[in-house]
Amino acid sequence: QPNRRLIVAFLVLGILCQTSLLAYLVLPAVGLITLIFIRRLPLKALVFGAILFVLTQVPFFIGLSQNISQTQSRLSDFADTTSSESYFRDDAFRHAFRLVSGEEYELARGNDDRIQRHAITRWFASGVSLLLAGGILISILAIISQKYCNHPPEVTTDHARDSAIILLIWFFVPIGLMSYNATFVHPYYQLVGVPAGVIFVGWAVVYIIKPYSIIRWGVVAMLFIHLLF
């Protein structure tokens, strides 16, 4: 049921954008992915889903309009790239990695327990960071050449390549949007890319260890330990 799934996807996207104004950072990534794969999408479901998405945003924008001047001021300050203080920074990139691996997250937040927590988690977090970087590299190689598409036997090469394109866009577009501005880049600005980052980690583990049945349980265990810390 591709039509139904596409409509449900737009509905879920609309609900996601109700959670926070920063959730709209996912829209450029979704738009780019849609343009790349538009020939594979059912046109009627795409149009209906887009209309449904717009309708779900009406209550949110009605709420914003109640204090339109303050909303416009905050948006203009947040999106200002003409200020003399605007410049390219790597904060968004580092936060995107940090939210997936947990590396130095407590230092970035300035928590009181940062020293003790950092000592406990730094080795595990560093390992997850390496897996994240490895997953990103593997996805790039999967796009370049079929011979690098190392994946479970039930996943086709085309599917692996498509997945790599989607994950790279999903992870890096929010980073790019927050890499040139004059405002402070808080770690939670990159929350929208966390699912893609976790999948990169899992892909790296699959690439390194076999057989696949063992890997699935290993990835689940690793992510569970990661969440505990």
Side-chain angles (χ1 to χ4, degrees):
Q1 297 291 334
N3 292 339
R4 183 180 301 174
R5 284 184 295 182
L6 184 59
I7 293 172
V8 171
F10 271 104
L11 179 60
V12 172
L13 179 63
I15 295 173
L16 171 65
C17 290
Q18 299 291 311
T19 60
S20 169
L21 196 59
L22 284 170
Y24 282 89
L25 285 175
V26 78
L27 292 184
V30 172
L32 182 56
I33 292 171
T34 302
L35 287 176
I36 292 175
F37 296 102
I38 194 167
R39 292 186 178 181
R40 307 187 196 178
L41 301 176
L43 181 59
K44 291 183 179 179
L46 180 63
V47 173
F48 184 80
I51 294 174
L52 185 62
F53 169 79
V54 172
L55 292 177
T56 60
Q57 305 313 298
V58 172
F60 186 70
F61 283 105
I62 290 176
L64 290 178
S65 66
Q66 303 301 315
N67 197 353
I68 189 66
S69 59
Q70 183 179 2
T71 301
Q72 288 178 338
S73 176
R74 289 181 177 180
L75 286 175
S76 61
D77 291 342
F78 182 78
D80 182 18
T81 58
T82 60
S83 171
S84 59
E85 299 179 359
S86 297
Y87 59 92
F88 285 102
R89 58 181 75 189
D90 64 351
D91 292 5
F93 181 81
R94 289 188 292 108
H95 289 330
F97 263 69
R98 181 175 289 125
L99 285 173
V100 176
S101 69
E103 187 169 7
E104 295 187 349
Y105 180 78
E106 63 284 349
L107 301 181
R109 289 295 306 274
N111 295 344
D112 293 336
D113 63 341
R114 58 188 180 276
I115 297 177
Q116 181 179 1
R117 178 183 171 90
H118 180 62
I120 296 173
T121 63
R122 60 178 178 175
W123 297 110
F124 181 80
S126 298
V128 177
S129 294
L130 290 174
L131 289 173
L132 175 56
I136 293 173
L137 177 61
I138 291 168
S139 66
I140 294 173
L141 294 176
I143 297 173
I144 295 175
S145 176
Q146 293 185 7
K147 67 179 180 179
Y148 295 113
C149 290
N150 189 298
H151 48 72
E154 66 269 20
V155 178
T156 65
T157 299
D158 289 339
H159 188 187
R161 185 184 297 108
D162 293 345
S163 299
I165 294 172
I166 292 171
L167 289 173
L168 288 171
I169 293 174
W170 187 0
F171 189 74
F172 282 103
V173 166
I175 294 175
L177 292 174
M178 296 301 302
S179 293
Y180 184 80
N181 55 56
T183 60
F184 173 73
V185 180
H186 195 279
Y188 70 77
Y189 290 176
Q190 295 301 316
L191 279 174
V192 294
V194 169
V198 172
I199 296 172
F200 279 135
V201 172
W203 201 346
V205 173
V206 170
Y207 191 87
I208 294 171
I209 307 173
K210 295 181 180 182
Y212 295 109
S213 58
I214 297 177
I215 291 172
R216 292 188 181 114
W217 288 107
V219 172
V220 171
M222 183 186 67
L223 295 179
F224 178 73
I225 295 172
H226 186 202
L227 290 175
L228 287 179
F229 286 98

